[in-house]
Amino acid sequence: MNYLSPILRNNRTFLLAYDHGLEHGPEDFLLEKSAEPEFILELAEKGNFSGVIFQKGIAEKYYQSWQNIVPLIVKLNGKTKWQAGEPYSPLICSPEYAKDLGAVAVGYTIYPGSKFEHLMFKEFGQVVEKAHNLGMAVIAWLYPRGKKIDNENNPQVVCYAARIGLELGADMIKIKWPLERKYLEKAVNLARPVKVVLAGGERISEEEFFKRTKEVIVSGGCGLAVGRNIWQRKNALEIAKKLAKIIYQR
Ligand code: FBP
């Protein structure tokens, strides 16, 4: 069974990430309307995204009338930027409840290298089994962090993270930009057949973002799961449409 098919177009994916209100707080909402979930849902529809990523509370309050319009991915764990020390992101929503909210897939962040990695591995293992029983795909955010990790953007660290996703049973993995295209190709190969998507990170120039998106595709990546580089821009819809073309084109 291909659990991912509801969020794939032409075997690629373009997901609008919007869990930042929890992870970073309102400081990310540089434009007033980016604090409004309805604006994000409209953007997801008109911008040709293959899915939108919400935490459970936003999904409960805003998603119901959008079922069958934009596929929903519910992020099952999360934390605030105030959490200090070794990172751990607790489970705050079950796969069953995500399904009731209309989700076709779920997401879970793992911080490999953290002192609490074992807890996240255990929770993630249970999430994968439950989600698959419910016919839902699991996307793993793989962000190596903690005292043991000197530099989470080190290409070898990013490649290791990609492989961890395959080992742990993810259907799709989300990693940070590994600085050079050759490492992106390596990460894609190490995770195969698990699909690899890239996070956007902090807002960069449009030009650089288009360049990276093209590199993701030519390197065998499946697409993007991106937030700030879209909805922090005044021309978010225009940018999204252009990126969607790059991503879905064969
Ligand atoms: P961006 O494209 O805005 O970087 O979003 C990707 C994402 O993974 C979000 O889903 C999440 O809220 C955020 O980055 C977490 O980033 P970090 O843990 O690096 O602060």
Side-chain angles (χ1 to χ4, degrees):
M1 178 170 183
N2 188 356
Y3 299 111
L4 288 170
S5 37
I7 55 166
L8 293 179
R9 287 192 201 172
N10 224 358
N11 222 20
R12 301 249 171 83
T13 199
F14 184 32
L15 305 175
L16 189 55
Y18 191 67
D19 56 342
H20 303 64
L22 177 64
E23 298 285 332
H24 297 162
E27 73 187 30
D28 270 4
F29 303 143
L30 301 181
L31 308 175
E32 210 173 298
K33 61 186 177 179
S34 59
E36 296 167 12
E38 288 106 338
F39 166 72
I40 296 296
L41 281 156
E42 272 170 37
L43 180 61
E45 184 199 7
K46 296 193 180 124
N48 297 320
F49 285 87
S50 52
V52 67
I53 301 164
F54 286 157
Q55 281 286 355
K56 130 191 193 176
I58 303 261
E60 276 173 344
K61 272 77 179 178
Y62 291 92
Y63 182 69
Q64 292 319 300
S65 55
W66 287 83
Q67 301 211 21
N68 306 319
I69 302 174
V70 180
L72 171 69
I73 296 105
V74 170
K75 188 75 200 313
L76 300 183
N77 66 341
K79 64 168 187 58
T80 66
K81 67 174 183 181
W82 293 315
Q83 210 204 31
E86 293 289 291
Y88 169 61
S89 183
L91 195 68
I92 47 189
C93 180
S94 68
E96 290 85 351
Y97 194 65
K99 177 105 184 164
D100 289 347
L101 291 172
V104 292
V106 292
Y108 184 102
T109 299
I110 303 170
Y111 299 111
S114 159
K115 186 175 149 193
F116 302 112
E117 142 191 305
H118 61 290
L119 295 179
M120 291 173 275
F121 281 12
K122 193 172 164 193
E123 275 181 9
F124 184 76
Q126 290 164 354
V127 160
V128 171
E129 288 169 22
K130 282 189 192 162
H132 286 175
N133 276 335
L134 295 162
M136 291 191 293
V138 182
I139 307 171
W141 277 229
L142 279 155
Y143 295 169
R145 269 177 210 174
K147 272 203 298 237
K148 295 263 179 206
I149 309 290
D150 290 337
N151 174 9
E152 66 176 282
N153 298 312
N154 176 326
Q156 305 295 357
V157 171
V158 177
C159 288
Y160 191 173
R163 182 65 178 212
I164 292 169
L166 168 65
E167 305 278 349
L168 293 181
D171 300 296
M172 179 177 276
I173 61 163
K174 174 170 169 174
I175 55 173
K176 301 256 171 165
W177 183 255
L179 307 178
E180 282 180 53
R181 182 172 150 191
K182 68 176 175 185
Y183 292 109
L184 182 55
E185 285 169 1
K186 190 174 172 193
V188 168
N189 286 330
L190 282 165
R192 205 178 298 281
V194 173
K195 294 193 183 297
V196 175
V197 295
L198 273 286
E202 283 177 18
R203 192 172 45 142
I204 53 177
S205 74
E206 282 179 24
E207 202 184 29
E208 176 62 19
F209 200 62
F210 281 121
K211 187 171 154 256
R212 281 194 194 181
T213 306
K214 286 177 190 154
E215 287 190 3
V216 171
I217 298 305
V218 294
S219 304
C222 181
L224 300 178
V226 58
R228 288 165 287 180
N229 267 286
I230 304 287
W231 44 255
Q232 282 188 345
R233 296 184 200 278
K234 282 196 180 126
N235 58 346
L237 183 57
E238 182 200 333
I239 295 282
K241 283 181 177 168
K242 286 185 187 162
L243 290 168
K245 264 197 191 147
I246 297 171
I247 292 169
Y248 300 135
Q249 191 174 288
R250 287 281 180 187

